[in-house]
Structure formats: C-alpha cells, structure tokens
Amino acid sequence: MTLLEGSVGVEDLVLLEPLEQGSLLKNLQQRYEHKEIYTYIGNVLISVNPYQQLPIYGPEFIAKYRDYTFYELQPHIYALANVAYQSLRDRDRDQCILITGESGAGKTEASKLVMSYVAAVCGKGEQVNSVKEQLLQSNPVLEAFGNAKTIRNNNSSRFGKYMDIEFDFKGSPLGGVITNYLLEKSRVVKQLEGERNFHIFYQLLAGAEADLLKALKLERETRCYVYLNRKVSRVDGMDDASNFKAVQSAMAVIGFSEEEIQQVLEVTALVLKLGNVELADEFQANGVSASGIRDGRGIQEIGEMMGLNSEELEKALCSRTMKTAKENVVTALNVVQAQYARDALAKNIYSRLFNWIVNRINESIKVGTGEKKKVMGVLDIYGFEILEDNSFEQFVINYCNEKLQQVFIEMTLKEEQEEYEREGIPWTKVDYSDNGVICNLIEHNQRGILAMLDEECLRPGVVSDTTFLAKLNHLFSKHTHYESKVTQNAQRQYDHTMGLSSFRICHYAGKVTYNVNGFIDKNNDLLFRDLSQVMWKARHPLLQSLFPEGDPKQASLKRPPTAGAQFKSSVAILMKNLYSKNPNYIRCIKPNEHQQRGQFSSELVAIQTRYLGLLENVRVRRAGYAYRQGYRPFLERYRLLSRSTWPRWNGGDREGVEKVVGELSLSSEELAFGKTKIFIRSPKTLFHLEERRRLRLQQLATLIQKTYRGWRCRTHYRLMRKSQILISAWFRGNMQKKRYGKIKASSLLIQAFVRGWKVMGKGGGASSPPMGPCPTWFLPDCASCWEERAAESESCPPPGPPGVRGHVHVCVGFWVCRCVSGSVDARRGDVCLCPGCVSDLATEFCLLLGGPCSLPTRLPLLSPSRTVSALYLTVFSVWVRNRTPSRSGFGLLCLTVYLYVGSFLVCPCQARKDYRKYFRSGAALTLANFIYKSITRKFLLGLKDNLPSTNILDKTWPAAPYKCFHTANQELRQLFYRWKCKKFRDRLSLKQVENLREKLCASELFKDKKASYPQRLRLEFFS
C-alpha cells in the first residue's frame, strides 16, 4: 500500500485537505506535472490525458498489478481493471466499467487498456486466444468507421459503444456483444472547419491499391470529393495508408470474408460518389421549379458499380412519390429538396452500413445461449458537451450523461450504504444534489422535451422548429431548470447570450444553451420511400440488405420511430444493464485544448471536474468515514507502532488493531470498528498514523543497520580465519608431499641395492656349480644376462650412484691384486700378501679402470653385448698374462671373478628379470593407442551425421573437436566441396555451362574496374 508514502500529492482525493475546488485542481496539476496521470476517489479512477506515450504499460506492469490489491500500488488503470476482473472471476459478480469524459480526454485509449489487461490476465488456449484476438481487433474496425478528427481530438469517437465481454466460470473469455449508440451521421455530409469526415474515407483513398481504386471507380486525391473537407485531408501522427491495411487485416481476423470486405468498401465508395452527384435547377412545363442531374456520369458509375438502374436512381433523387387512398402522386423536388434527399440517402447508407458492421462483429464473437457466463461491460461514450452552437446531437448526448451521473450518484451512495450495513456501522443520510428532476424534464413520457419533440414531428399541419420551441416555452415556463428568451422576458431578465430560437437547460454540470434549428428534421430522420425502394432493387447483396423496407412485399405505412425515441429506448436499456452490474468508474480529463504534452489549463480542468461531479463524489465518500481498511492489512502496516504487536502478534487481527490504536491514544470519535474493517473519520488521523509510522521506520532502520554491520564484521572474521586455516593446511600438505618424495626416492635406491645383494647371494649359493681349476662357467651366464637385457630400454638406470659403483670396483680390484701377487691356496682359501706387488698391481688396475668416478662410463666390459664382453674378457686376460708372466692361473681366475661380480653390481638385470612378472610391459602405449583410435572413430562418425547441405554456396563445415585433427578436417572439407562442385557440374545443361563461362569471362574483364563505370548507368555490375 503506497498511500502517502513517497507519493506526489495525494493519491486518493478522499484524503484531500482542505476539500475545495482549488486544492483539488492543485493536486491534479502537481501529479500531472510529475507524469502521475492517475488519481483515486475511493474506487473511482481519474485519468488525465498525457498526450504522450508513458512507460507505465505493457506485460511487466500487467504482471505487477495482477498480484496486488487495489491500494497496494500507485493508482493505475490496471489496478481498477484487475479489481473488476477478480471480482467477476472469484465472487461471481457481473461488472461494468464506465468510461466518461469529453472529446479528447482519452476514453478510447482507456477502453483499449482495459481490454488489453483483461485479455492478458485471463486464460490461455487456442480457442481463448482466438476470442481475445477477435475482441481486440474489433477496435480498429470500429474506430475506422466511427471515429473522426474534430477540433478537440484527432481520433474522436463519434458514437457511443458498450461492449459486454462474456466469460466462463474459469474467467476465460467466450465472446461478447457490442451495442452502438447514436452515430453522428451528419458528419458524413458536412464537417466544421478544421475537422474531417470519418477515417475510413481517407484510409480507403490513401491505402487502397490502384486496382482496387479502379474497381471502385475512385480517384486517390481527396479534393475530388465534395463530402470530404478539402482543407484538412491529413492528420499529424496518423498514417492513413497503414491504418487501412490494419483495418483489412482486423476484418479478416474477426471473420469477414474477402467478398464481404469488398462489398463494405463498395458501399463506402458509393457514399463518396453520392456527394459528387451535382443537382441543377430545372422547370416543368407548367413552370413549377424542379431539379435534375447536371452530369449523368456519376449516376451511371454508381449504377454500374452497385447494379442499380441509373434512370430510376435519378428519378428517386429528383422527385417524391406520395401514396394516397386512391392513387400515387409524384411531386418534383426543387434543388434544395433534392440535395436534402441526396444527403439523407448518403447518411442513411453510412449509418446502416455501420450498424451492419457492428452486427457482423457480434455474429463472430457471440456466445452460445446454453452456456453459463459472467459478464464484464465496458462503456465508452461521449462525455458532456458544451459547444458554441449546441444542436440536437449535443442535447441527446448531455441527456445520456445526465442519466449516467444519476447512476453514478445512486450506485455510489448505495455501495456506501451497503458497506456500512455490512460492517455494522450506523448509516447517516447524506445530502447530495439529485439530478433526477433534470432527467425527468427531458425523458418524461407525456411532459418531457423528447415527448414534445416526437409529438410535434407527428402532428399534422405546419410543423417547424419555432412551433416546437413555443410549445416548450408554454409547458416549462415555470420550471426551475428551463430557460428561454420568453421565460426570461416574463421574469424581466435580460441575457444577450440567449437567442430567440434557443432554450437553456441547467444540467448538473452547468447551463447549456441549445439552438432548436434542425431539431425536427434530425429527430424525424426521414428517408423518402422512393430511395429505399431503389436501393432495395440493387443487385449488390450488402446494399440491398441495408434497406429491407424497400421490399414491396414488406412495405408498411407505419411511421418509423424517431431518432429521439430510439435513443431514449437505448439509454433505458443501458441503464437497466448498468444497474444489474457492479460499477467501476474511469473519469477522463483533457488537460488542455491544444493536445500538447505538459500543459495544464486549470480553467479547462475546473470545467470538466464540474461536469464529472468529482467534488460531489468526494463529498459523498467523506460523508461518513473518509478511510476504511481491513483489519489484517491495517495491522500489517501499523503493528510496528505498538510494543504489544511488534515484532510478533499471535492473536486475532481485530484484537491486534485495538491494541495498536489503544496505545496511540486516538479519539474514539475518530474510529469505528466494523466486522472486518476499521473506519477512520478524518484524514488528519490517518496523516498522524503515517507520520508516527515514518518515525518508527527510521528507528527500525537504524537498528537493522547496526545489526547488519555487526553480522558483516563477524562473517568477515570467520571467513578470514577459515581462509588462514585452509592456507596453512595446504602449506603443510605440500611440505609433507615433498618430504614423502625424498623418502620414496631413498627407499627405491635402498631397494635396488638390496635386490642386487640378494642376487649376488644367489650366485654364490649352494646351487652354484663348483669352481674347478679353470672355471669358465660364469662367462656364458653373464653374457646371456647382458644379451637378454639388451632388448630392454637402453636408458635403464644403473643400480646406484656412480661413486658407489666405482668404490666397489676399486675394492674388488685390490682384492684381485692381492690374489694375483700373493700365494693363495684354492682349496683352503688363504692368501699370501705381497705389499709391493699389491700396490703396484693395484695402481695399474685402477688406472686401467679409469678411476672410481669415471668407471661406469669407461669400462667396456659393461656393454650389454655378448661379443664385446667375451672379446674384452679375452683381451684383458692376455693383457694380464703379458704384464704378469709369473702369475699363476689362479690370478686370472680372480680377475674373471671380479668381472663376474661387477657385472651384477653395475646392471641388476637379473633382479629385474626376477621381478618382471609383477609388471605389464607397454601398458601405457597400448592405452594411448586405444584412446587415440576411440576419439578418431568418434570424430569421423560425428562428421558423418553433421555434413552440411549439398548447395555449392554453402561453405560451412563442422569444426574439429581437437587440434590434432585440424589438418585432416581441412582435407576432408576440401574433398567434400570438390565432390559437391562435381555433382553440380554434372547436373548443368550445355546452355547453363555456356552462361556460366560468359559470366566468368565478364567478371575477369571488369575486375577492379568498377570506379571507371559511367555515371549514367543506374545499376552497377556485380561479379
């Protein structure tokens, strides 16, 4: 609920202080200047025309207002439409929305917004959408045939419209019924300066195709037609050509066939061409003035288009047949009478065409009689009018507005009284201005103005507007709401604004002076029977159906009802319809006469507020209690003002409200507790509550800010602490991973040495063959070991660092030297040491091996080749024998033992061979090959399913999923494109091949030469 909270001015005029005309206008102006065009009076909506598109409509706002109640958001037309629709759907109450205001106030746009909102929020479905579309598309059709540009409004509705939209029990639209009131058909033949005829004439001439205009025998220029105002043919901001296309499309959506649309346009063209029928003075043989057609071409074209006899039409326009008891008398018409007959025919044709269109729309959107339905009515009718020259049209319009004001006052008071009684609040009688006496002055069956007008039209003898005015002066000479020159003279009053042929009525909205000239003719609305019969004889189906009285078989001598009687009957039916529904009001106001945005004329708005009775409405609403609201929303809004109800209240809503107002010490005279609502008498009390609430909200906001800041600091600290713990954990984990890596590497090294020693232990065990005097059994074993190891990776790391291996070799070398230089008994294993020999041989042996650090890289014995190892063993043995010829064979044996043992220490191939059964060699390579083949297969199968079209101009190609397939993908793309080109060339004929060769030749000749083209060439050549 946005009441008084951040709003511009007062959103509900019921709360306006002080309640007077000046403050009401100031509030409306203040809101209008801030583009707040909607204001409430209770449940009545005031809409000020902004004359611009405001960003407050569309699906976003529809969704916003459908989820809230009436007062929870800013005033809007969607809020009123939502209340009406929800009441219809949920409470099963028929609704009506009354949209009133003067011309240019925005009534038509308001009705469109209401219908668009209802269409958006109701149900979905193919049939429902079709019905909604037909209802919405009826607007452009009716606007084209019923709206026109006036001095006050560029799109003024020149008829009243009441649409009943019918819904099923779910709230989905089923269809509707449209009722039209009093089309201003006099506009067909005459418009004021600065105004236009109905839109459809200009739309037809501007938007029709040349063939259609030719078929209708029309010219595109509007100045060619007498019935169209030649000075004003276009309207700013209105595209007649595009609007004509929209009308044709809308008629097709509603259900008009192409033949029916064509017939409607032909009848419309007939009206235009009738205005061009020029009549000339003629004289009969006896000298009596007569008339004739000056140029028969127009009559002939009308006859050809409508299937009429041109001679009969000319005769019907220039003469009149009167039936008597014995014979038919033909009377010639003078030029003035013939022009009247021509204009009457044009007005009747257009009026009947408009009625036919409305009935045709009703046939398309009507609902079956057997279905149970709910109804929402939308009334878009002309507002109260006071012009410089007010005639019969303004009289009946203002009469209709008097009846609507009567309904408004009675329904408002009735609604107020029913609400008070429903809530158990004592009802006090409200004094208000009752306009029933004015309605009775106009509509009384025997002594009303309309009854006197009908009586004067039916009276035999000389009848004129003057005799009608004389009868009114005699009958209402003492009526308080009737004035004329005669009554003023009788009361010795002088008013220079009152003419001799005028009378004045004091309406609820002010005094209006009417000119009686033309009242009799407009009320009679007669069409000569000759013209009706000629129209019925037409071979045009639509035109013939518009004049059923022209059928000789159905001819009736009964006089048709007058225009006033028909309108009075229609208004009575409308009032009965409105009384049976729950009313919702939209009061439209025009802010200025120039249709300019941002301009607000206080004088003009003051007149309209008086017409609409806005101040009277506010007084009625404030007669008892100015403000009322349900207990729950009131408690939700103001419970923060009481310690008992804030922050939680577990009791009933009414008890909570009583707690709140009790602690605020409000006067008991200002409050009343109903059954479901609390009533507040004065707006000042509500303002006091709002001020207390504003201060309390500031206190609570400070408390919330304090609590939030503390929570934010605590949350930030917890987050920082959690982050610090996480960082520490990751750091410690990383350190442990590094330490684990080092331990693992050391363990692997130790395991390698252990496995080597184990193998060495197996080589000297009991299973080894015994050493003879010349042991050679170890040579094939060592050679085969190296040969088998050669098949494995040459990058196999040696078992241990180079320094360790060198140290072992040196130690064994010393042992061998000792064996060579000393006396060792092979059988007992003892050794005789010779220090000199040991040092000398050890030195030579170490130099031979290359030193402990370079031993692994310079020892040829370690080559994994049986041939190299055997060769080197032989060479080395010969070298040792030559160097120490005195050494025994046992020294050679020691040297070979050294070589045998060293081979195990340098390359643990035997250990790996023993542990090879626990590993699968080449598993990584096998897995890699499998994965590569899988993604290759997936790529090729996916490419097969996503091949582009065979059109040679289509050069699209799927991208490669992996970079490794990029080259292959490009090659496949080229192959596919060449295949497409070959297929295309195979399909070409010889002639097509020749044409393509010529184009290719031309493209090569003119390449990069476009700048040198002559300027006279209209189209450049594109290769």
Side-chain angles (χ1 to χ4, degrees):
M1 175 172 157
T2 61
L3 181 65
L4 305 174
E5 190 176 280
S7 62
V8 178
V10 179
E11 293 183 347
D12 193 340
L13 294 181
V14 173
L15 305 176
L16 185 65
E17 285 289 342
L19 181 57
E20 55 188 17
Q21 184 79 6
S23 59
L24 187 147
L25 294 175
K26 183 178 180 180
N27 187 74
L28 291 178
Q29 181 175 3
Q30 182 183 4
R31 292 181 59 78
Y32 180 76
E33 290 173 350
H34 288 81
K35 297 183 180 180
E36 298 286 347
I37 63 172
Y38 296 115
T39 309
Y40 289 145
I41 302 178
N43 58 354
V44 177
L45 180 70
I46 301 174
S47 173
V48 185
N49 195 341
Y51 292 116
Q52 60 180 315
Q53 291 293 333
L54 297 179
I56 58 175
Y57 307 105
E60 178 183 353
F61 285 87
I62 290 175
K64 181 179 179 181
Y65 276 87
R66 70 183 299 179
D67 297 328
Y68 290 89
T69 57
F70 192 69
Y71 286 106
E72 287 186 304
L73 296 174
Q74 293 181 344
H76 201 288
I77 193 171
Y78 286 165
L80 183 135
N82 183 63
V83 168
Y85 179 73
Q86 296 289 348
S87 180
L88 175 138
R89 187 189 64 183
D90 301 334
R91 302 181 185 176
D92 203 17
R93 296 179 62 185
D94 289 349
Q95 303 289 315
C96 64
I97 299 177
L98 281 69
I99 307 173
T100 57
E102 70 173 57
S103 178
K107 301 186 300 298
T108 302
E109 290 300 319
S111 65
K112 290 181 184 178
L113 290 171
V114 171
M115 293 182 63
S116 65
Y117 179 86
V118 173
V121 300
C122 62
K124 308 295 181 183
E126 183 177 353
Q127 182 178 359
V128 173
N129 291 335
S130 175
V131 173
K132 289 192 294 186
E133 191 66 20
Q134 288 180 342
L135 292 173
L136 293 176
Q137 290 300 323
S138 65
N139 281 323
V141 177
L142 295 178
E143 284 185 17
F145 287 89
N147 289 25
K149 180 193 182 311
T150 63
I151 298 175
R152 297 184 174 186
N153 185 7
N154 289 342
N155 189 31
S156 176
S157 297
R158 307 317 301 163
F159 70 104
K161 179 182 71 173
Y162 178 76
M163 174 182 285
D164 266 336
I165 308 174
E166 301 176 347
F167 300 83
D168 62 9
F169 69 96
K170 297 178 294 185
S172 300
L174 298 173
V177 178
I178 299 174
T179 306
N180 62 299
Y181 300 95
L182 195 67
L183 177 71
E184 187 188 15
K185 56 186 178 182
S186 60
R187 180 171 295 272
V188 174
V189 299
K190 182 180 179 182
Q191 306 93 41
L192 298 178
E193 185 177 355
E195 297 188 349
R196 290 205 319 177
N197 209 324
F198 292 101
H199 292 326
I200 186 60
F201 296 116
Y202 305 92
Q203 293 174 0
L204 175 61
L205 298 180
E209 301 290 341
D211 296 340
L212 178 59
L213 288 179
K214 183 178 180 181
L216 299 178
K217 303 182 185 303
L218 295 176
E219 301 292 335
R220 195 171 293 279
E221 293 296 329
T222 57
R223 62 174 178 267
C224 299
Y225 302 97
V226 177
Y227 280 166
L228 302 184
N229 195 332
R230 301 176 182 180
K231 295 182 180 180
V232 183
S233 60
R234 295 184 179 179
V235 179
D236 295 337
M238 186 177 294
D239 188 352
D240 291 325
S242 62
N243 288 342
F244 180 72
K245 304 297 182 185
V247 170
Q248 286 182 307
S249 175
M251 294 177 75
V253 171
I254 293 171
F256 285 77
S257 64
E258 293 184 2
E259 183 179 358
E260 289 176 329
I261 296 175
Q262 181 69 21
Q263 292 175 5
V264 169
L265 296 179
E266 289 172 351
V267 175
T268 305
L270 168 62
V271 175
L272 281 178
K273 299 189 73 64
L274 274 176
N276 289 355
V277 174
E278 192 173 356
L279 300 165
D281 284 319
E282 292 183 359
F283 293 93
Q284 294 180 341
N286 56 3
V288 177
S289 177
S291 59
I293 305 299
R294 178 168 296 177
D295 184 4
R297 180 183 175 186
I299 289 291
Q300 185 177 359
E301 289 181 351
I302 293 174
E304 292 175 357
M305 183 173 63
M306 308 306 295
L308 291 170
N309 189 322
S310 302
E311 295 180 358
E312 291 184 359
L313 178 59
E314 181 178 357
K315 180 181 177 181
L317 288 173
C318 299
S319 62
R320 180 183 181 185
T321 301
M322 302 185 66
K323 289 186 177 182
T324 62
K326 298 181 179 180
E327 61 180 351
N328 295 337
V329 179
V330 179
T331 304
L333 303 178
N334 57 33
V335 174
V336 176
Q337 293 173 334
Q339 289 176 348
Y340 173 83
R342 178 200 62 190
D343 293 344
L345 177 61
K347 290 188 293 184
N348 270 272
I349 291 175
Y350 191 82
S351 176
R352 297 184 186 202
L353 173 64
F354 185 77
N355 292 335
W356 182 88
I357 292 174
V358 173
N359 293 331
R360 180 64 183 81
I361 294 174
N362 287 336
E363 289 180 7
S364 297
I365 63 177
K366 67 181 179 180
V367 184
T369 56
E371 299 186 50
K372 183 180 181 181
K373 48 190 178 292
K374 309 173 185 178
V375 179
M376 176 185 290
V378 180
L379 177 65
D380 174 11
I381 201 165
Y382 15 63
F384 204 90
E385 290 188 353
I386 301 179
L387 307 179
E388 293 182 0
D389 185 15
N390 301 288
S391 187
F392 178 76
E393 291 84 1
Q394 283 69 43
F395 176 73
V396 293
I397 285 173
N398 293 341
Y399 159 63
C400 180
N401 278 271
E402 284 285 353
K403 296 294 291 183
L404 291 176
Q405 179 67 12
Q406 186 180 29
V407 172
F408 175 69
I409 295 296
E410 292 181 2
M411 295 294 286
T412 302
L413 286 175
K414 180 181 179 182
E415 185 180 1
E416 284 283 295
Q417 184 175 359
E418 288 179 352
E419 183 174 14
Y420 277 55
E421 293 176 352
R422 189 168 55 248
E423 293 293 327
I425 305 296
W427 169 257
T428 56
K429 183 176 176 56
V430 178
D431 294 329
Y432 64 96
S433 92
D434 185 7
N435 65 338
V437 61
I438 305 174
C439 296
N440 193 49
L441 168 67
I442 299 173
E443 68 179 3
H444 193 275
N445 291 332
Q446 284 80 31
R447 299 175 58 85
I449 295 178
L450 289 176
M452 294 299 102
L453 182 60
D454 289 347
E455 181 179 317
E456 195 68 13
C457 291
L458 299 175
R459 183 174 62 84
V462 179
V463 177
S464 66
D465 298 319
T466 304
T467 60
F468 166 64
L469 180 60
K471 180 174 290 188
L472 294 182
N473 292 335
H474 173 72
L475 190 62
F476 304 116
S477 59
K478 296 182 180 180
H479 200 287
T480 56
H481 292 79
Y482 177 86
E483 295 179 6
S484 68
K485 199 70 174 178
V486 174
T487 60
Q488 287 180 348
N489 292 337
Q491 298 175 5
R492 298 182 179 182
Q493 297 177 356
Y494 176 74
D495 185 1
H496 67 279
T497 60
M498 179 73 73
L500 293 175
S501 60
S502 303
F503 67 93
R504 181 178 296 160
I505 295 179
C506 299
H507 290 281
Y508 78 95
K511 295 182 178 181
V512 184
T513 302
Y514 299 101
N515 188 345
V516 297
N517 292 331
F519 263 59
I520 298 294
D521 290 339
K522 292 177 180 178
N523 187 53
N524 272 323
D525 193 23
L526 292 179
L527 180 67
F528 297 150
R529 186 176 287 107
D530 299 16
L531 292 172
S532 298
Q533 293 175 351
V534 171
M535 293 297 106
W536 183 83
K537 292 179 181 179
R539 291 189 296 273
H540 193 274
L542 177 57
L543 182 63
Q544 185 183 37
S545 66
L546 297 180
F547 293 89
E549 73 276 11
D551 186 358
K553 297 180 181 179
Q554 299 180 3
S556 175
L557 298 178
K558 184 179 179 181
R559 185 183 181 92
T562 62
Q566 292 179 17
F567 188 75
K568 177 183 174 182
S569 176
S570 299
V571 170
I573 296 174
L574 176 63
M575 295 302 110
K576 182 180 179 180
N577 201 351
L578 297 180
Y579 276 119
S580 65
K581 296 179 174 63
N582 182 52
N584 303 271
Y585 298 94
I586 301 176
R587 303 300 206 182
C588 298
I589 293 178
K590 181 169 65 174
N592 60 78
E593 290 283 6
H594 308 292
Q595 304 179 26
Q596 297 293 323
R597 67 181 65 179
Q599 293 185 8
F600 189 91
S601 174
S602 300
E603 295 78 9
L604 178 63
V605 175
I607 295 173
Q608 295 176 77
T609 56
R610 188 170 63 252
Y611 293 169
L612 299 172
L614 300 184
L615 203 59
E616 187 74 17
N617 186 14
V618 177
R619 290 196 178 100
V620 170
R621 289 284 299 185
R622 289 181 56 172
Y625 293 90
Y627 181 77
R628 73 286 313 266
Q629 193 175 33
Y631 288 127
R632 178 175 291 276
F634 186 90
L635 181 61
E636 288 295 325
R637 184 169 183 81
Y638 298 110
R639 66 191 179 95
L640 52 86
L641 300 179
S642 172
R643 294 182 179 273
S644 302
T645 58
W646 180 261
R648 293 182 181 86
W649 171 252
N650 298 323
D653 295 334
R654 175 167 180 168
E655 289 78 5
V657 172
E658 291 175 348
K659 283 282 186 182
V660 172
V661 298
E663 293 187 15
L664 294 176
S665 301
L666 298 178
S667 173
S668 59
E669 297 179 356
E670 288 291 317
L671 303 173
F673 294 93
K675 296 179 180 179
T676 61
K677 295 180 180 180
I678 180 174
F679 290 74
I680 300 177
R681 185 179 300 278
S682 171
K684 293 181 180 179
T685 304
L686 186 63
F687 297 156
H688 173 70
L689 287 174
E690 286 295 320
E691 181 64 20
R692 294 284 297 270
R693 182 176 181 272
R694 185 183 64 82
L695 296 175
R696 179 59 176 162
L697 283 176
Q698 292 180 357
Q699 298 175 1
L700 293 177
T702 304
L703 177 62
I704 293 172
Q705 291 175 358
K706 178 183 70 173
T707 306
Y708 169 72
R709 291 191 186 103
W711 170 83
R712 188 176 62 178
C713 291
R714 288 191 296 272
T715 304
H716 183 62
Y717 165 75
R718 294 192 185 102
L719 183 61
M720 291 179 62
R721 185 172 181 272
K722 182 179 179 181
S723 302
Q724 186 272 333
I725 294 173
L726 182 63
I727 293 172
S728 300
W730 276 96
F731 177 76
R732 288 193 295 269
N734 188 46
M735 294 297 294
Q736 292 298 325
K737 287 180 181 179
K738 289 183 178 179
R739 184 170 177 270
Y740 168 75
K742 293 181 180 179
I743 295 174
K744 182 179 179 181
S746 302
S747 300
L748 292 176
L749 180 60
I750 295 172
Q751 290 174 5
F753 279 108
V754 169
R755 286 194 295 268
W757 286 110
K758 285 183 178 180
V759 173
M760 289 174 61
K762 291 180 181 179
S767 61
S768 300
M771 291 185 180
C774 187
T776 57
W777 52 268
F778 61 90
L779 292 176
D781 291 344
C782 188
S784 64
C785 173
W786 281 105
E787 185 177 16
E788 291 174 1
R789 191 56 187 158
E792 298 180 2
S793 175
E794 294 182 1
S795 61
C796 177
V804 176
R805 295 195 299 271
H807 180 70
V808 172
H809 275 274
V810 172
C811 294
V812 176
F814 278 114
W815 181 79
V816 171
C817 292
R818 290 173 62 191
C819 293
V820 173
S821 59
S823 59
V824 180
D825 188 350
R827 289 170 295 181
R828 294 182 291 112
D830 52 346
V831 180
C832 274
L833 298 179
C834 181
C837 182
V838 170
S839 60
D840 182 51
L841 186 58
T843 302
E844 292 184 15
F845 191 77
C846 290
L847 291 174
L848 173 66
L849 297 178
C853 294
S854 60
L855 177 62
T857 59
R858 295 181 60 185
L859 186 59
L861 180 63
L862 301 182
S863 173
S865 172
R866 170 183 293 183
T867 306
V868 175
S869 299
L871 178 63
Y872 187 75
L873 288 172
T874 306
V875 173
F876 188 76
S877 300
V878 173
W879 176 81
V880 171
R881 185 179 295 276
N882 292 333
R883 289 286 293 173
T884 57
S886 59
R887 273 33 173 203
S888 65
F890 183 75
L892 295 175
L893 176 60
C894 293
L895 290 175
T896 53
V897 170
Y898 158 73
L899 295 173
Y900 180 77
V901 175
S903 66
F904 282 104
L905 295 176
V906 175
C907 181
C909 53
Q910 184 65 33
R912 294 189 181 183
K913 183 176 180 181
D914 294 342
Y915 288 89
R916 186 180 297 173
K917 59 184 179 181
Y918 298 109
F919 302 94
R920 184 177 294 277
S921 177
L925 182 60
T926 303
L927 289 174
N929 291 335
F930 175 78
I931 293 172
Y932 182 79
K933 293 178 181 179
S934 298
I935 62 176
T936 304
R937 182 175 178 271
K938 182 178 179 181
F939 164 64
L940 294 176
L941 291 178
L943 186 62
K944 182 195 71 172
D945 297 333
N946 294 326
L947 288 176
S949 65
T950 57
N951 186 1
I952 61 171
L953 298 180
D954 185 7
K955 295 186 178 182
T956 60
W957 187 258
Y962 303 100
K963 291 184 178 180
C964 60
F965 296 141
H966 179 71
T967 303
N969 192 47
Q970 293 300 322
E971 290 294 329
L972 291 173
R973 179 180 182 178
Q974 291 296 329
L975 289 173
F976 184 79
Y977 182 75
R978 291 172 186 171
W979 176 79
K980 288 197 299 185
C981 293
K982 182 179 182 303
K983 298 291 285 186
F984 175 77
R985 289 194 297 270
D986 293 341
R987 290 196 301 268
L988 293 176
S989 63
L990 294 177
K991 184 177 181 180
Q992 290 175 327
V993 172
E994 189 65 23
N995 290 338
L996 290 176
R997 286 177 179 172
E998 291 178 359
K999 290 183 180 179
L1000 179 61
C1001 180
S1003 177
E1004 293 175 354
L1005 289 174
F1006 291 95
K1007 184 178 181 181
D1008 300 328
K1009 297 181 181 180
K1010 293 183 180 179
S1012 62
Y1013 289 176
Q1015 295 298 325
R1016 60 186 178 83
L1017 291 178
R1018 297 184 62 186
L1019 297 175
E1020 296 183 359
F1021 177 80
F1022 293 90
S1023 60

